[in-house]
Amino acid sequence: MYEPGIHGVPTEKYYREYVIRAGEEQYRYAVENQAGEFVGTAGIYGVDERNGSFEIVIRIFSGFRNKGYAKAALSLLLKFGFHELRLQKCNSTTIIINTGSIALHKSLGFKEEGIRRRNVYTNGRYFDEILFGMTLAEFEESERNWKRLYEDER
């Protein structure tokens, strides 16, 4: 499997753009594979410097799912949020029927923090939304585990 990449959206206007809207800091990226195909989007938003928290979002297009792009992109976003922005808590949500996203969050080391009942409306129905969180300490432990797994594969 090849290493997917996460790159700033490829226009001068959006390339690694730092966006401020209504006091909210955002970092938006295009996710590309090694062939340069645009496979999705990823971003950090809701940066709260006072409390040291941020939120992440990722969308991988249906034809490119289950190939490792989301995990690689989220790993890079977490590194950026925790190491570059020096924040201490990451928050994320997913809909209860998105089993792939739930598994991805857990595999990266996120902890389930709660459920917002019937909070998302899609396809004519309401669904619960799962709240996930990860602290800096949990991220650093996950990073150590990732490195051990990588070394074991060699």
Side-chain angles (χ1 to χ4, degrees):
M1 186 169 130
Y2 49 84
E3 211 37 57
I6 182 169
H7 311 281
V9 177
T11 67
E12 184 176 343
K13 182 179 177 187
Y14 292 107
Y15 184 74
R16 291 188 58 102
E17 182 177 355
Y18 178 81
V19 180
I20 299 178
R21 289 197 180 137
E24 184 174 318
E25 297 179 8
Q26 300 179 27
Y27 300 84
R28 299 180 294 174
Y29 301 93
V31 180
E32 298 177 345
N33 62 19
Q34 278 192 325
E37 296 173 292
F38 181 46
V39 302
T41 61
I44 291 177
Y45 67 101
V47 174
D48 181 343
E49 290 183 5
R50 182 176 186 274
N51 294 305
S53 63
F54 65 102
E55 298 176 50
I56 57 173
V57 64
I58 184 138
R59 303 275 187 273
I60 300 297
F61 306 138
S62 61
F64 298 98
R65 292 183 185 145
N66 300 313
K67 297 180 187 322
Y69 300 125
K71 189 168 192 170
L74 286 181
S75 298
L76 291 171
L77 286 178
L78 291 169
K79 286 179 187 180
F80 183 70
F82 286 122
H83 294 303
E84 299 300 321
L85 299 178
R86 296 182 303 280
L87 299 168
Q88 62 85 34
K89 172 77 187 307
C90 179
N91 297 301
S92 184
T93 62
T94 192
I95 190 170
I96 195 112
I97 59 172
N98 190 342
T99 56
S101 180
I102 293 166
L104 172 63
H105 280 83
K106 290 179 178 180
S107 76
L108 288 170
F110 279 87
K111 307 291 185 232
E112 189 174 323
E113 296 185 334
I115 293 180
R116 288 189 190 122
R117 297 175 301 122
R118 296 175 49 90
N119 198 54
V120 176
Y121 182 80
T122 188
N123 294 327
R125 293 181 51 205
Y126 289 95
F127 294 94
D128 293 350
E129 185 176 43
I130 301 175
L131 309 175
F132 284 101
M134 178 186 288
T135 65
L136 173 60
E138 292 165 343
F139 173 72
E140 289 172 340
E141 179 61 28
S142 289
E143 259 191 325
R144 284 190 289 276
N145 291 336
W146 298 339
K147 289 176 184 171
R148 274 186 235 127
L149 285 172
Y150 177 74
E151 290 168 1
D152 290 345
E153 288 176 0
R154 294 176 127 188

